[in-house]
Amino acid sequence: MFARTTKKLALAAAISGLATFGLAVPAQAATTVTHDGCTLEVDPPIFTNHFSTTGAKLFDYPYHLTCLPSAAGVTVTVTHERWESDILGRAGDPDAPDEFTGRSKRNLVFAAAGQTRNMTVRAVLPTVNDDTDIPLEMYQTATFRVKSGAVLGTTSPKAVGASTPLIP
C-alpha cells in the first residue's frame, strides 16, 4: 500500500510540474488547423511578380484546404484576413498592435470523395503603417466553417501564418 501511495504522489508531482511548465510557455498559434474533417494550412505571403493596373506590386497569400471524403460532400466557408505586424515576436500575438489590412470570404464545395484545394488571395500591400518601418511584416490568418447537408459546424480555431518582410 505504501508503494502505491508513493507512486501516486510521484505521478501527481510530475503532472503538476508539467502543468506549471505548460503555463510558463506562451501559446503559439498554429499554421495548420484541423476541424470538422477538414485541414487548413496557411503559408507566408510572397511576391510572385504580379502588378496591379496602376503598377503597384501584388502579393500572394496562399493557403491549402483539404477535406476528408464525406458521403454528402461538404461546403466550406473560409474567412481570410491579412495583417501587418508591428512588433518583434510572433505574428498574431493578441497583445500586439497589428494592423488589419483586409478580409475576404470564399465558399469551396468538396465532392463526396474529398480533395485538396490550393487557394491564393492576391492583394496590394497597405499604404498605412503606423510604425513607419520598411519592410512591412505581413502575415495572414484564416478560419473556416464546414457545412454538410443541413448541418453547419462551428468555426475552426484560427490558423496564423508566419510573418514575412515585404517591400512595397
Side-chain angles (χ1 to χ4, degrees):
M1 176 128 169
F2 180 73
R4 279 190 189 162
T5 303
T6 303
K7 286 181 184 178
K8 286 181 184 178
L9 288 174
L11 180 60
I15 291 171
S16 173
L18 288 175
T20 302
F21 177 73
L23 293 175
V25 178
Q28 296 292 320
T31 58
T32 302
V33 171
T34 299
H35 184 73
D36 288 347
C38 294
T39 299
L40 176 77
E41 180 181 1
V42 293
D43 294 342
I46 58 172
F47 176 61
T48 57
N49 209 28
H50 289 90
F51 296 87
S52 71
T53 55
T54 62
K57 288 181 181 179
L58 297 174
F59 293 86
D60 289 355
Y61 297 81
Y63 64 91
H64 318 280
L65 182 66
T66 301
C67 290
L68 296 173
S70 169
V74 295
T75 300
V76 181
T77 302
V78 178
T79 302
H80 174 270
E81 294 182 346
R82 296 174 304 283
W83 293 84
E84 198 274 330
S85 177
D86 282 335
I87 63 166
L88 295 176
R90 70 179 174 86
D93 186 340
D95 297 322
D98 293 352
E99 297 167 319
F100 172 77
T101 65
R103 174 182 294 122
S104 62
K105 280 193 176 187
R106 182 176 280 164
N107 289 325
L108 301 169
V109 178
F110 291 82
Q115 65 188 93
T116 297
R117 297 274 178 83
N118 299 310
M119 308 302 296
T120 299
V121 174
R122 186 168 284 154
V124 296
L125 288 181
T127 56
V128 176
N129 185 15
D130 68 4
D131 64 353
T132 65
D133 64 337
I134 296 294
L136 302 175
E137 303 87 12
M138 300 303 297
Y139 68 95
Q140 65 177 317
T141 67
T143 59
F144 63 93
R145 242 178 137 167
V146 179
K147 183 177 181 184
S148 181
V151 178
L152 180 62
T154 59
T155 301
S156 73
K158 187 177 286 188
V160 179
S163 174
T164 299
L166 300 174
I167 298 175

